[in-house]
Amino acid sequence: MKDVSKATTAYNEIRKRILSNQVVAGARLREDEWAKKLDVNRAAVREALTRLLGEQLVVPGEKGGYFVKSFTEENVTEIRELRKVLELGALEIAIVKISPEDLQELSTICDEFTAMVERGYYGGALEADMKFHETLIAASGNQKIAGIYHSSNIPLFHQKLGKIKSHLDDYLLTDQEHREILAAIRNADLEKAREALSRHLMRGEVYL
């Protein structure tokens, strides 16, 4: 694998784990550990971390190294407001032209989320949650919205992995809310879909 490909692989994987909240805020990202975990060299990890620093997903430590950025209450509110603008906008476009394939993919993602939670594989559940929202954005067919959503590096609103067992209700409610959103989309009921998605995002902000 070429160095550029290795760095891209490292970037994509670390970014995904940060946004899906599989890596806790404030955690140090050690080059050697991630190089071993992702089976790439340290130079690739270093390049990935430098890129993530530019995107403000990580911050430099006072004595060197990189750490996952922590969010303030104000940051969380701003993220929810941005998600509401982008996701409700995408929803309004998607609901009138969503394909049977997109509906099936959203349904499959819901089933994957349910199965992951039931099996206690919470990392997989987090990834399924992120995929649900990304698929909803993609279903709009609007590349500008999709590009803004991706470049905004929007994290999920969940408790950290280490706290999931004591906050399982969050995951059960997420499962229920995703299915409510999907049901409204299937019925082409924009009002119910908007209400369900808005409630889902607001609850996530308050819960976190």
Side-chain angles (χ1 to χ4, degrees):
M1 187 183 296
K2 295 181 179 180
D3 288 344
V4 174
S5 298
K6 290 180 179 179
T8 300
T9 296
Y11 163 79
N12 287 334
E13 189 62 28
I14 297 173
R15 176 183 179 275
K16 179 181 70 177
R17 297 195 190 189
I18 291 174
L19 294 183
S20 63
N21 226 357
Q22 296 183 65
V23 183
V24 299
R28 183 173 184 179
L29 300 169
R30 299 180 181 277
E31 290 180 9
D32 55 341
E33 292 179 359
W34 281 96
K36 183 177 181 180
K37 186 179 300 185
L38 302 178
D39 192 25
V40 297
N41 54 48
R42 291 184 62 170
V45 175
R46 189 177 308 118
E47 184 176 335
L49 293 176
T50 300
R51 184 174 173 184
L52 291 167
L53 175 65
E55 295 180 1
Q56 300 182 7
L57 283 176
V58 303
V59 294
E62 293 182 0
K63 298 182 180 179
Y66 295 96
F67 295 79
V68 178
K69 183 179 179 180
S70 297
F71 291 97
T72 64
E73 184 175 341
E74 182 180 2
N75 293 152
V76 173
T77 296
E78 290 175 345
I79 291 167
R80 192 265 305 162
E81 291 172 343
L82 177 60
R83 290 187 66 180
K84 185 174 181 179
V85 169
L86 294 178
E87 294 190 37
L88 288 182
L91 175 64
E92 187 170 335
I93 298 171
I95 202 165
V96 298
K97 64 176 184 179
I98 192 166
S99 68
E101 291 77 17
D102 286 331
L103 286 171
Q104 181 56 52
E105 183 174 3
L106 286 168
S107 179
T108 298
I109 293 169
C110 286
D111 291 341
E112 289 174 351
F113 183 92
T114 301
M116 294 295 181
V117 173
E118 289 178 347
R119 290 160 50 193
Y121 182 33
Y122 300 112
L126 290 168
E127 291 182 19
D129 187 355
M130 188 164 69
K131 188 177 179 182
F132 180 88
H133 291 275
E134 289 176 343
T135 301
L136 180 59
I137 290 288
S140 72
N142 188 306
Q143 296 303 312
K144 293 294 185 182
I145 293 178
I148 293 171
Y149 193 86
H150 179 84
S151 63
S152 297
N153 290 318
I154 299 174
L156 294 179
F157 289 160
H158 279 298
Q159 292 290 331
K160 304 301 183 280
L161 280 173
K163 297 182 178 180
I164 285 178
K165 289 185 179 179
S166 60
H167 295 274
L168 188 58
D169 58 323
D170 176 33
Y171 285 75
L172 298 178
L173 285 171
T174 293
D175 193 3
Q176 177 182 325
E177 289 162 357
H178 281 178
R179 292 182 184 279
E180 288 177 0
I181 295 166
L182 177 56
I185 294 173
R186 282 189 188 280
N187 294 327
D189 190 331
L190 179 59
E191 183 177 351
K192 281 191 176 181
R194 286 176 59 89
E195 180 185 347
L197 180 54
S198 297
R199 187 172 65 251
H200 175 57
L201 296 176
M202 180 61 76
R203 185 188 63 80
E205 176 190 356
V206 172
Y207 191 84
L208 184 61

